[in-house]
Amino acid sequence: MFFCPFVAYAQQNGYKSSVHYTWNNVGNAGFTVKEAGYTKLAFSQSGEPYIAFKDGTGSGKATVMKYTNSNWITVGQPNFSAGQVWDISFAFSQTGEPFVSFEVADSDKASVMKFNGTAWVNVGKAEFSAYAVAFTSLAFSPSGQPYLAFEDYSVGAGKATVMKFDGTNWITVGQAGFSSGEAQYTSLAFSQSGQPYVAFQDSQYSGKATVMKFDGTNWVNVGNTGFSAGAVTHLSLAFNPLGEPYVAFHDEGNSGKATLMKFDGIGWINVGTAGFSSVEVIFTSLAFNPIGQPYVAYSEFDNNGKATVMKFDGTNWLTVGNSGFSAGIAQWTSLAFDPSGRPYVAYSDIASFGKATAMYYNAPNGINEIQDKRFSLFPNPATDLITIESSDLTGESNLVITNIDGQDMIKQSVLKPKMQLDINNLPSGVYFVRLTNDRNVTMGKFIKN
């Protein structure tokens, strides 16, 4: 049992502890026609959840569905890939087009396809990798180019390679097979400055975690190689709003439990307790909520394989709602936040014969946790004083300012829709502001110089 960060005020205003909040199905549970493998969840720019998966109705070809007007519908034609697929990855371009990457089963080579508004089409040449691949991971650079990381069997015994699409062809980024050994469970993400980072299970270091980045010329190690306590699987790499890389994984060094580590500029350090889950896990999936708190979704080995989500509040790991909230075994758990900051998890649902199910965590009744356009912070960046204004706040409200680790730095009551706050004693960094009353939560972010 735990409480939301604003619980000290919330119970005065009719909020409930999170034990009353629930995970709810998005539409029907098991909404696909047949079983769905490699489920991947992402949100469109308009806030609609999309799921890409290997479709049991089409001999294992790729299909994408979205939830709109209270129904799950197919995006374009179902089973749009030429053949059976493996290792699906899914992302939206900056222009809002859904892209899907996968390993083509017949050739084991990599392909990327996108939906152009009418049909699914190949991005460049189909099956463009030189040889067999595994663990494809798709992401877009800040400039909008699609990049693909994968375990590459054309060089050595499955080393890591990253390729990008230049508008005409897929080209190798730096050296093909840049890892020192076999690289499994590759996960790709971009820093704020546009550098691609890849996390992977590193065979050169007994299967421990390694992260490398491309510095514009070469692939270089980010901190120590093989930095985890033991062998890892199911790595998930993401950047927090401050631009720090985090990686979550199944941690054999801690009894197969979930661990999250971040790079602090010098080395990789644990975020809270290593092996923070209560039991052994698989299918770890990492994402950050709007105020920068890391959430990790996974399937629990010792809880009948059910899905659980936990978050780090700056001090402790807390369960989001109830643990094991899925009806049965949840495979390929995939976590993402909608534009309002609500967590969603999609998975292959064994309780529904392996069909896809998506669930969201129900926020407190009557509260929309959004970045309100009528909420302003200025100046931003600020040094000594900051003005906070929101036309939505009437009567007494409560102000909480948290740092990037989710720790409360300032808490006070607010009686007017506009106030000036002294931030002179705050250390330099990124801060998140949350204003709450009995009807709304409005949020913002500022930088302290």
Side-chain angles (χ1 to χ4, degrees):
M1 185 185 301
F2 70 96
F3 296 91
C4 294
F6 42 82
V7 138
Y9 315 120
Q11 294 201 342
Q12 300 172 22
N13 295 318
Y15 287 73
K16 300 177 181 178
S17 71
S18 62
V19 73
H20 295 290
Y21 308 154
T22 57
W23 285 91
N24 300 277
N25 291 323
V26 181
N28 294 326
F31 57 83
T32 54
V33 177
K34 287 190 176 181
E35 64 273 12
Y38 300 102
T39 47
K40 292 294 185 295
L41 170 68
F43 280 88
S44 68
Q45 293 176 340
S46 61
E48 293 175 319
Y50 282 58
I51 296 178
F53 56 94
K54 176 181 176 178
D55 192 342
T57 65
S59 301
K61 296 181 180 180
T63 292
V64 172
M65 299 182 73
K66 70 176 182 178
Y67 188 69
T68 185
N69 297 324
S70 301
N71 291 294
W72 285 97
I73 64 171
T74 303
V75 178
Q77 67 272 33
N79 306 305
F80 56 79
S81 58
Q84 185 177 184
V85 300
W86 307 94
D87 294 324
I88 286 175
S89 186
F90 184 42
F92 279 89
S93 70
Q94 280 85 336
T95 55
E97 293 174 309
F99 281 58
V100 178
S101 72
F102 46 81
E103 172 193 348
V104 178
D106 289 342
S107 66
D108 293 326
K109 293 184 177 181
S111 282
V112 175
M113 299 183 74
K114 72 174 184 179
F115 184 65
N116 64 9
T118 304
W120 287 92
V121 297
N122 288 312
V123 178
K125 178 184 174 182
E127 303 177 39
F128 57 81
S129 60
Y131 198 61
V133 305
F135 302 109
T136 68
S137 182
L138 175 68
F140 284 87
S141 71
S143 63
Q145 284 184 306
Y147 281 59
L148 189 70
F150 48 85
E151 181 185 11
D152 186 356
Y153 287 97
S154 70
V155 283
K159 296 183 178 182
T161 291
V162 172
M163 301 183 75
K164 71 176 181 179
F165 186 63
D166 67 1
T168 305
N169 300 301
W170 285 92
I171 61 175
T172 303
V173 178
Q175 177 187 355
F178 56 80
S179 58
S180 57
E182 185 177 6
Q184 294 190 327
Y185 299 100
T186 49
S187 182
L188 171 67
F190 278 87
S191 69
Q192 291 176 341
S193 61
Q195 292 178 315
Y197 282 56
V198 179
F200 54 91
Q201 180 202 73
D202 192 344
S203 68
Q204 194 73 6
Y205 297 93
S206 303
K208 295 181 179 181
T210 291
V211 174
M212 299 182 73
K213 70 176 181 179
F214 187 64
D215 66 5
T217 305
N218 300 300
W219 286 93
V220 297
N221 293 319
V222 179
N224 296 331
T225 52
F227 55 80
S228 57
V232 301
T233 62
H234 300 281
L235 290 91
S236 183
L237 173 68
F239 283 83
N240 73 358
L242 193 60
E244 295 172 312
Y246 285 59
V247 60
F249 46 83
H250 161 102
D251 184 0
E252 286 294 332
N254 285 282
S255 304
K257 297 180 180 181
T259 290
L260 179 66
M261 300 184 74
K262 75 171 184 178
F263 184 65
D264 65 0
I266 300 173
W268 288 90
I269 61 173
N270 291 315
V271 178
T273 303
F276 60 81
S277 59
S278 60
V279 297
E280 186 176 357
V281 307
I282 53 173
F283 302 121
T284 50
S285 181
L286 168 66
F288 287 89
N289 73 357
I291 64 171
Q293 292 177 321
Y295 283 53
V296 178
Y298 50 78
S299 175
E300 295 185 325
F301 266 7
D302 297 335
N303 190 14
N304 298 315
K306 294 184 178 182
T308 291
V309 174
M310 297 187 74
K311 73 172 184 179
F312 186 66
D313 70 354
T315 305
N316 300 301
W317 282 97
L318 306 173
T319 305
V320 179
N322 53 306
S323 62
F325 57 80
S326 58
I329 295 172
Q331 295 183 318
W332 293 293
T333 48
S334 181
L335 171 68
F337 284 88
D338 72 7
S340 71
R342 187 165 52 182
Y344 282 60
V345 177
Y347 53 90
S348 175
D349 186 358
I350 303 306
S352 295
F353 307 100
K355 298 177 182 180
T357 290
M359 301 185 75
Y360 69 92
Y361 181 62
N362 196 34
N365 290 335
I367 293 180
N368 298 308
E369 194 169 0
I370 61 173
Q371 174 79 44
D372 199 298
K373 294 180 180 179
R374 292 166 289 181
F375 181 50
S376 60
L377 300 165
F378 56 91
N380 191 5
T383 303
D384 300 314
L385 297 172
I386 190 166
T387 299
I388 302 171
E389 184 175 9
S390 176
S391 60
D392 270 351
L393 297 177
T394 57
E396 183 175 2
S397 301
N398 297 292
L399 166 74
V400 179
I401 293 180
T402 59
N403 64 14
I404 198 66
D405 291 320
Q407 296 169 320
D408 294 343
M409 305 299 290
I410 297 175
K411 299 170 78 171
Q412 67 181 63
S413 295
V414 178
L415 298 175
K416 297 180 181 180
K418 184 176 181 179
M419 66 172 293
Q420 195 172 58
L421 191 67
D422 184 355
I423 59 169
N424 189 58
N425 291 329
L426 293 178
S428 297
V430 176
Y431 292 88
F432 301 93
V433 179
R434 183 193 296 265
L435 281 162
T436 67
N437 61 16
D438 60 353
R439 295 188 310 125
N440 297 299
V441 173
T442 51
M443 298 192 304
K445 180 175 72 173
F446 70 90
I447 298 172
K448 164 67 189 303
N449 286 330

